[in-house]
Amino acid sequence: EPLTVSVDGSLCNLITVGRLEREKRCDRLLDIAAELKKCGFAFHWYFVGDGPLREELEDKRDALGLGSCVTLTGYMENPCPLLARCRVLFPEYEGTPVTIDEAKTLGVPVIANDVGGVREQVGQGGICFDASTPSTIADIIVQSLSEE
């Protein structure tokens, strides 16, 4: 299936796939994106999915000045072509996300909050973090991706 959004291969491309709802805390992911931008990290973050918070998240993205580095794609029938060009980052609330298995199948590195059964699911092929502040999480992302 063809890629439906443009991807700049010179950037660190991050992706989060899931429903845009309050318990997923996608608003905090935008705070992390703001911290990444503040420290000069060259990235683009794709939020794939739809839900009741989409408009609120778009407004927050714009208020934080992240329009050039955060794309809310909406629902995608098959996010795998985009997923294959990104690193996967997960929100705070997940049980056993299918996207981790898809990412591992595609050989895509996973960066995830250590919640539920995520650490076991990620295994050796990714990074799990347990951090409380967006700036700490941004530091972990920058440090771990710089080591690759």
Side-chain angles (χ1 to χ4, degrees), residues 40-62:
F41 190 65
F43 74 100
H44 196 98
W45 199 330
Y46 300 89
F47 285 62
V48 177
D50 218 337
L53 294 185
R54 179 160 181 175
E55 188 175 322
E56 182 179 318
L57 292 171
E58 287 172 338
D59 290 345
K60 181 171 182 168
R61 173 201 59 195
D62 296 344

Side-chain angles (χ1 to χ4, degrees), residues 94-117:
E94 284 296 335
T96 308
V98 173
T99 311
I100 289 179
D101 293 331
E102 293 171 339
K104 288 170 69 174
T105 298
L106 293 168
V108 174
V110 176
I111 305 166
N113 200 355
D114 191 5
V115 294

Side-chain angles (χ1 to χ4, degrees), residues 1 12 17 20 26 40 49 61 95 98 104 119 128 130 135 141:
E1 188 171 313
C12 177
V17 180
L20 305 179
C26 291
R61 173 201 59 195
V98 173
K104 288 170 69 174
R119 179 174 293 279
C128 276
D130 184 17
S135 62
I141 292 167

Side-chain angles (χ1 to χ4, degrees), residues 27 30-34 37 58-67:
D27 59 321
L30 289 175
D31 293 333
I32 296 165
K37 184 176 180 182
E58 287 172 338
D59 290 345
K60 181 171 182 168
R61 173 201 59 195
D62 296 344
L64 291 171
L66 299 172

